[in-house]
Amino acid sequence: MKTSNLTLASKVMLLIVGLLFIASLFMPLWRIELDAPQYPEGLTLQLHANKIAGDVDIINGLNHYIGMATLHTENFFEFTILPYIFGAFALIALVLIFVNNRKAVLGFLVTYVLFIILSAIDFYRWNYEYGHNLDPNAAIIVPGMAYQPPLIGFKQLLNFGAFSIPDTGGWLLAGAGLLLALIVLKEFKFKKTV
């Protein structure tokens, strides 16, 4: 007879996964760093689960010259729902400890991977819109130029270097995903039949 119960180690990892989701609510998830000769200290835009932070006012002032829309937390519905999504993920991880079923953990991992894919598509979409939908009456117009920062990695935008990477909360979410994958691998590959 096959058992679908989780090992104690998997339950402990699920507890850690839940705590990582909770901790990510209080830390920036993503950052876009801008470097240019006129800003040797650099400028940073930080995306939290519920707000945009960092050098937002300075970046909005610069964006005005090239015709980009200004960035405001209230313009993005994502900042309204993300805290609830991460809270639900934390709750699911903790409930799975008591559900004690490896197939349920696999379902959670698949759901989380789909969430990451949809989030990346959404982030790309709003980077694209902000970088391409420019005011035709802007003070600085470079024909054919778009100012879309990279989804991840580095991109040169005129005299600004834009570097887009996960921030502390993003690494916590990556850790939660890796732990979930490890639980699934451990439970499905190494689980012995009873």
Side-chain angles (χ1 to χ4, degrees):
M1 174 171 124
K2 288 185 177 179
T3 179
S4 65
N5 290 345
L6 300 171
T7 63
L8 178 60
S10 292
K11 290 179 179 182
V12 170
M13 286 191 280
L14 277 171
L15 175 63
I16 294 168
V17 166
L19 294 174
L20 290 173
F21 279 120
I22 292 167
S24 72
L25 289 169
F26 303 99
M27 299 178 188
L29 303 174
W30 205 266
R31 69 190 295 117
I32 298 174
E33 298 175 358
L34 300 170
D35 293 311
Q38 65 269 42
Y39 292 97
E41 72 285 357
L43 299 172
T44 303
L45 191 67
Q46 291 181 304
L47 306 176
H48 294 250
N50 63 343
K51 66 181 178 181
I52 302 173
D55 300 308
V56 181
D57 291 336
I58 297 169
I59 291 169
N60 277 339
L62 292 169
N63 287 350
H64 171 75
Y65 290 109
I66 58 173
M68 286 180 76
T70 54
L71 298 165
H72 303 283
T73 297
E74 58 273 11
N75 293 345
F76 301 93
F77 79 93
E78 293 88 346
F79 295 123
T80 305
I81 62 170
L82 276 178
Y84 295 106
I85 291 172
F86 293 154
F89 283 163
L91 184 61
I92 290 167
L94 298 177
V95 167
L96 286 175
I97 295 169
F98 301 101
V99 170
N100 197 24
N101 184 288
R102 61 188 179 147
K103 287 182 182 174
V105 177
L106 174 61
F108 183 36
L109 174 62
V110 169
T111 302
Y112 185 52
V113 168
L114 289 174
F115 167 77
I116 291 168
I117 291 168
L118 291 174
S119 297
I121 291 168
D122 185 54
F123 186 45
Y124 178 86
R125 178 194 58 80
W126 60 265
N127 270 343
Y128 183 90
E129 286 178 9
Y130 268 80
H132 287 80
N133 296 332
L134 305 174
D135 181 352
N137 301 313
I140 299 171
I141 296 176
V142 180
M145 182 69 187
Y147 301 96
Q148 179 183 358
L151 183 64
I152 188 166
F154 179 82
K155 185 176 183 182
Q156 191 69 35
L157 303 168
L158 294 180
N159 64 328
F160 278 89
F163 193 56
S164 179
I165 54 170
D167 209 325
T168 308
W171 291 116
L172 293 179
L173 294 176
L178 287 174
L179 277 177
L180 278 173
L182 184 63
I183 293 167
V184 167
L185 259 175
K186 178 181 173 306
E187 293 293 333
F188 280 88
K189 188 171 182 182
F190 300 113
K191 191 81 169 175
K192 303 289 182 195
T193 56
V194 178

